[in-house]
């Protein structure tokens, strides 16, 4: 095994990820314990300012996720079931994904200009519009790809069993698309939860989210132990969410 | 408990525009009787599946009507027709258990739980899948034959008037296929449902059907009982598609065809052919070629044996030198013992076993 070159090829990126992701997390965890050990966690979790910011961020992330889901599912459904020509499909997909290739800061500034035209900068609405815009492709693509894999015969079979088209969508398409919906929801929620660029640029006073708070704790207040503790809590929550998803939600045979 | 309906297809046509306008069906007329097991037989691409999908309501015809008994269902979608369908790839719902698959149609129809459960038990028993063993299994835990039975049970659960089957057994082993065909005939007897069975396999169609239709290039070639269609094929295509066929092309002059000095009076076969000039096709089955016969009454075939294959009780003999192509004889093995490859032999054909097709 050791002399197998394929092993080497696989181990290098793995090592890279280990050293650049897992090692810093461990360092961060250690950093958080430097001032007073485990107490820093209790103090973070009992700090009303912190918990209200965490809950506020979660609420914003929840709303963002909900809106992206509501927008993305019908679009993905139409793209998968309504567009028959594969070339047209590809054009739509490219249209959705090209913005992702452009630096986000540029796009955020562009969006800022648009929002200022309708007086929505520095509002919650403006911030949510920005986040929905940012995360829409991350919801659309996984849902679209699971929809594409659904055997069209299943819907015909449902129809021959008396199911009207909407009943077939509810009982066949939706359950079979759940893995895609779940991964889109988790992806968007986690990214929205810790996002601070869009809230910072578009949210004004409403943009003070947990991501921003961590940023401030590290760079403004230089309170590394508390910043690390908060970051660690957020990261751990994310890891658990992903774990639970892959363990219970992701498997559809 | 006979509840099958008759299915009448009137001048149904269908053209697929997205595939460079290929005509799938050309003015197809079909009368399927209530409670009948009817096969639609043809090679792939002949339009048989298109026709089945139109009967199911999954596809709209460009022209023509479809009737269930006296009811015009042409404009009804599939979910409003009293049908059950078994698809070629089965299309069992992978996220549901056997029970949920079978009860799907009942839940949609709003059956109360206990009544639905009784019905699921009933149909699972009907297809010989013990409820206690199979009801709560996942589809992926079943063998191909068992999945087949679940698909049948699901299609039968709502008590359909017409059961449509689209080559459901094509990917199964021969033995399981024969077993399921027997089951299907039993189900037809027990339920009285009208069954329409689409297949490209002539053996399946002949074993299974009360009547069958042979289709080719979107046109219905012949409808009849398997025996009728086998013994009296309407044209060259049906003759060669159903069973083994010898088809020899012959020049006819003045109503008389001549092969190697053997004169065949065409007016004996059909009065319209007296005085016919041009090419005709002589069709006869290998099993009708006799090793001995009465030369004064029978057509004599003089040819060279080029191949001999032992098939158990019968032996297949391939002959060449009579007519424009090789032809085959299927003779009882006992009688063909003396015949050697390379030998020139004389064989006989009863005139009544020959059919003439003009092109």
């Amino acid at each position: 095994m050791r002399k197998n070159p394929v092993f080497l090829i696989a181990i290098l990126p793995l090592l890279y990820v280990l050293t650049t992701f897992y090692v810093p997390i461990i360092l961060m965890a250690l950093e958080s314990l430097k001032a007073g050990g485990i107490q820093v966690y209790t103090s973070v979790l009992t700090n009303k300012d912190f918990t209200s910011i965490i809950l506020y961020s979660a609420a914003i992330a929840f709303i963002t996720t909900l809106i992206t889901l509501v927008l993305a599912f019908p679009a993905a459904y139409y793209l998968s079931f309504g567009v028959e020509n594969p070339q047209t499909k590809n054009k739509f997909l490219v249209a959705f994904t090209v913005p992702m290739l452009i630096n986000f800061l540029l796009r955020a500034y562009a969006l800022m200009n648009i929002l200022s035209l309708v007086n929505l900068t520095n509002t919650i609405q403006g911030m949510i519009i920005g986040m929905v815009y940012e995360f829409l492709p991350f919801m659309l693509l996984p849902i679209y790809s699971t929809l594409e894999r659904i055997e069209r015969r299943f819907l015909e079979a449902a129809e021959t069993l008396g199911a009207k088209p909407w009943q077939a969508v509810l009982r066949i398409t939706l359950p079979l698309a759940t893995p895609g919906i779940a991964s889109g929801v988790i992806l968007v929620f986690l990214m929205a939860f810790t996002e601070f660029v869009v809230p910072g640029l578009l949210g004004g006073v409403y943009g003070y989210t947990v991501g921003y708070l961590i940023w401030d704790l590290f760079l403004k207040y230089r309170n590394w132990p508390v910043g690390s503790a908060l970051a660690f809590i957020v990261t751990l929550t994310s890891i658990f969410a992903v774990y639970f998803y892959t363990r219970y939600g992701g498997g559809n045979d | 408990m006979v509840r099958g309906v008759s299915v009448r297809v009137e001048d149904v046509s269908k053209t697929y525009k997205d595939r460079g306008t290929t005509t799938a069906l050309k003015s197809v007329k079909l009368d399927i009787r209530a409670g009948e097991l009817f096969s639609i037989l043809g090679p792939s691409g002949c339009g048989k599946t298109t026709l089945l999908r139109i009967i199911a309501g999954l596809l709209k015809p460009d022209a023509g009507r479809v009737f269930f008994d006296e009811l015009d269902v042409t404009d009804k979608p599939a979910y409003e027709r009293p049908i059950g369908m078994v698809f070629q790839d089965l299309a069992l719902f992978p996220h549901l258990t056997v029970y949920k698959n079978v009860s799907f149609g009942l839940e949609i129809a709003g059956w109360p739980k206990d009544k639905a459960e009784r019905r699921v038990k009933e149909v699972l028993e009907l297809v010989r899948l013990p409820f206690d063993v199979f009801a709560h299994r996942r589809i992926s835990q079943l063998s191909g034959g068992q999945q087949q039975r679940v698909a049948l049970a699901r299609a039968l659960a709502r008590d359909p008037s017409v059961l449509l089957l689209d080559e459901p057994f094509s990917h199964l082993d021969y033995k399981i296929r024969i077993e399921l065909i027997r089951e299907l005939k039993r189900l037809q007897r027990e339920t009285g449902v009208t069954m329409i069975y689409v297949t490209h396999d002539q053996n399946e169609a002949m074993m299974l059907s009360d009547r069958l239709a042979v289709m080719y290039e979107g046109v219905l070639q012949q409808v009849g009982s398997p025996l009728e269609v086998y013994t009296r094929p309407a044209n060259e295509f049906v003759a060669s598609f159903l069973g083994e066929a010898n088809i020899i092309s012959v020049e006819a002059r003045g109503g008389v065809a001549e092969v190697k000095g053997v004169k065949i009076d065409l007016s004996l076969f059909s009065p319209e052919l007296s005085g016919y000039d041009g090419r005709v096709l002589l069709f006869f089955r290998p099993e009708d070629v006799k090793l001995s016969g009465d030369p004064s009454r029978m057509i004599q075939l003089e040819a060279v044996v080029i191949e001999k294959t032992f098939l158990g009780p019968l032996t297949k003999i391939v002959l060449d030198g009579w007519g424009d192509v090789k032809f085959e004889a299927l003779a009882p093995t006992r009688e063909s013992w003396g015949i050697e490859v390379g030998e020139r032999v004389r064989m006989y054909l009863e005139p009544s076993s020959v059919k003439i097709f003009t092109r």
Side-chain angles (χ1 to χ4, degrees):
Chain A
M1 186 85 183
R2 190 143 293 188
K3 281 177 186 164
N4 189 346
V6 178
F7 177 70
L8 252 183
I9 292 167
I11 202 78
L12 281 176
L14 192 63
L15 269 176
Y16 189 83
V17 171
L18 282 176
T19 48
T20 53
F21 179 72
Y22 292 97
V23 171
I25 290 215
I26 292 165
L27 290 179
M28 193 172 71
L30 292 176
E31 181 69 41
S32 69
L33 297 173
K34 273 186 182 162
I38 204 84
Q39 266 179 0
V40 72
Y41 284 92
T42 48
S43 72
V44 165
L45 288 172
T46 50
N47 184 323
K48 274 210 175 127
D49 292 336
F50 286 180
T51 48
S52 66
I53 288 175
I54 290 175
L55 287 179
Y56 174 71
S57 307
I60 294 290
F62 179 76
I63 294 167
T64 305
T65 309
L66 203 67
I67 296 174
T68 31
L69 178 61
V70 167
L71 288 177
F73 186 82
Y77 185 84
Y78 171 73
L79 216 58
S80 181
F81 287 86
V83 181
E84 287 190 358
N85 185 344
Q87 281 183 341
T88 320
K89 265 184 192 184
N90 277 336
K91 278 178 199 156
F92 269 112
L93 280 182
V94 167
F96 271 112
T97 45
V98 156
M100 285 169 74
L101 304 176
I102 291 163
N103 184 297
F104 183 67
L105 215 54
L106 295 178
R107 288 186 281 145
Y109 273 107
L111 192 63
M112 227 161 101
N113 284 321
I114 300 277
L115 289 178
S116 69
L117 288 179
V118 288
N119 284 328
L120 277 177
T121 40
N122 300 331
T123 60
I124 291 189
Q125 299 95 300
M127 176 172 78
I128 288 175
I129 289 172
M131 299 229 283
V132 168
Y133 160 70
E134 185 184 2
F135 299 130
L136 200 54
F138 296 96
M139 185 68 87
L140 190 110
L141 293 177
I143 295 179
Y144 172 75
S145 74
T146 49
L147 287 178
E148 275 293 280
R149 283 201 302 269
I150 293 176
E151 199 61 66
R152 297 314 192 246
R153 281 267 183 284
F154 294 157
L155 299 174
E156 289 187 343
E159 224 184 301
T160 63
L161 293 166
K164 295 181 179 70
W166 65 267
Q167 287 171 315
V169 169
L170 230 59
R171 284 166 182 268
I172 307 296
T173 316
L174 220 50
L176 288 175
T178 327
I181 294 171
S183 61
V185 164
I186 286 185
L187 212 61
V188 170
F189 184 83
L190 291 182
M191 289 194 300
F193 186 44
T194 51
E195 172 68 11
F196 60 94
V197 176
V198 172
L201 289 174
L202 302 174
V205 286
Y206 304 103
Y208 207 78
T209 55
V210 73
Y212 217 93
L213 174 63
I214 294 171
W215 170 279
D216 271 357
L217 282 169
F218 274 100
L219 300 175
K220 202 164 160 190
Y221 307 118
R222 302 272 163 194
N223 191 345
W224 284 34
V226 173
S228 301
L230 199 55
F232 194 64
I233 289 168
V234 169
T235 312
L236 223 54
T237 321
S238 310
I239 289 174
F240 267 117
V242 172
Y243 172 77
F244 273 106
Y245 166 64
T246 48
R247 184 105 166 71
Y248 301 105
N252 203 292
D253 287 33
Chain B
M1 215 172 87
V2 179
R3 336 154 238 85
V5 295
S6 67
V7 176
R8 200 162 84 246
V9 173
E10 271 184 9
D11 298 309
V12 159
S13 295
K14 180 75 191 174
T15 306
Y16 289 115
K17 288 181 183 69
D18 52 324
R19 288 182 232 155
T21 53
T22 39
T23 303
L25 295 175
K26 283 180 211 152
S27 189
V28 170
K29 280 191 194 78
L30 202 54
D31 244 311
I32 298 167
R33 296 167 196 149
E36 176 172 48
L37 209 168
F38 190 92
S39 292
I40 302 170
L41 176 65
S44 64
C46 72
K48 57 190 191 297
T49 297
T50 303
L51 181 58
L52 194 76
R53 291 167 61 80
I54 285 174
I55 294 173
L58 293 171
L59 207 62
K60 271 210 176 293
D62 297 337
R65 316 297 304 171
V66 178
F67 294 87
F68 284 6
D69 280 343
E70 288 316 306
L71 185 71
D72 185 343
V73 295
T74 316
D75 297 318
K76 285 195 181 206
Y79 55 83
E80 283 176 12
R81 299 189 188 190
I83 54 159
M85 185 154 173
V86 180
F87 291 82
Q88 188 169 11
D89 49 11
L90 302 186
L92 292 170
F93 306 132
H95 61 300
L96 301 178
T97 58
V98 169
Y99 183 96
K100 283 283 175 186
N101 263 280
V102 176
S103 68
F104 186 91
L106 308 177
E107 278 178 39
I108 294 280
W111 284 39
K113 267 217 160 93
D114 51 330
K115 200 177 154 207
E117 191 178 328
R118 250 178 288 135
R119 180 61 186 157
V120 172
K121 265 188 186 151
E122 217 172 276
V123 279
L124 281 179
E125 245 146 62
L126 198 63
V127 299
R128 308 248 157 102
L129 287 176
F131 181 89
D132 299 324
V133 184
F134 288 101
H136 299 290
R137 288 212 187 156
R138 293 199 143 250
I139 298 305
S140 52
Q141 294 170 310
L142 303 178
S143 73
Q146 288 164 351
Q147 292 189 2
Q148 207 50 258
R149 288 163 190 270
V150 175
L152 265 171
R154 184 179 71 174
L156 286 168
R158 281 199 311 158
D159 240 334
S161 305
V162 184
L163 184 65
L164 306 163
L165 303 114
D166 186 8
E167 306 210 29
F169 306 148
S170 59
H171 54 277
L172 292 175
D173 293 344
Y174 180 74
K175 266 186 110 170
I176 301 171
R177 217 155 76 192
I178 299 297
E179 188 190 320
L180 284 166
I181 282 175
R182 271 204 208 105
E183 294 277 290
L184 210 57
K185 293 206 77 143
R186 177 181 62 82
L187 284 175
Q188 180 216 10
R189 276 196 310 272
E190 286 177 17
T191 62
V193 61
T194 307
M195 286 191 187
I196 305 179
Y197 187 94
V198 157
T199 180
H200 66 271
D201 185 322
Q202 36 140 333
N203 291 322
E204 262 181 28
M206 284 199 276
M207 264 188 268
L208 194 71
S209 326
D210 297 325
R211 289 192 309 148
L212 56 87
V214 182
M215 240 178 133
Y216 183 56
E217 289 185 338
V219 178
L220 223 49
Q221 306 287 325
Q222 190 174 4
V223 180
S225 73
L227 192 66
E228 261 165 36
V229 177
Y230 184 78
T231 53
R232 290 198 299 278
N235 56 39
E236 184 195 352
F237 174 79
V238 176
S240 56
F241 191 73
L242 220 72
E244 300 292 320
N246 293 311
I247 294 175
I248 291 171
S249 165
V250 189
E251 191 70 33
R253 198 148 294 159
V256 177
E258 193 181 327
V259 193
K260 289 277 161 91
V262 180
K263 286 196 166 66
I264 302 163
D265 184 357
L266 297 181
S267 62
L268 292 176
F269 298 96
S270 161
E272 298 143 42
L273 288 172
S274 63
Y276 184 85
D277 284 317
R279 292 233 142 235
V280 294
L281 298 170
L282 301 185
F283 155 77
F284 52 96
R285 298 272 181 210
E287 66 266 29
D288 290 329
V289 180
K290 304 290 178 213
L291 301 185
S292 56
D294 175 3
S296 65
R297 200 170 48 77
M298 291 165 88
I299 300 167
Q300 289 183 56
L301 319 169
E302 217 185 282
V304 179
V305 177
I306 58 168
E307 208 183 301
K308 205 177 143 190
T309 313
F310 171 63
L311 303 172
L314 296 172
T315 293
K316 188 171 89 174
I317 303 163
V318 182
L319 301 118
D320 196 12
W322 192 84
D324 60 336
V325 287
K326 292 170 194 162
F327 66 95
E328 288 177 5
L330 202 59
T333 296
R334 274 172 216 288
E335 292 174 27
S336 62
W337 271 336
I339 293 169
E340 299 298 335
V341 173
E343 203 181 333
R344 177 168 288 274
V345 293
R346 188 167 291 171
M347 300 206 170
Y348 301 88
L349 260 178
E350 199 75 53
S352 63
S353 62
V354 178
K355 275 199 70 109
I356 309 281
F357 300 127
T358 54
R359 250 204 266 242

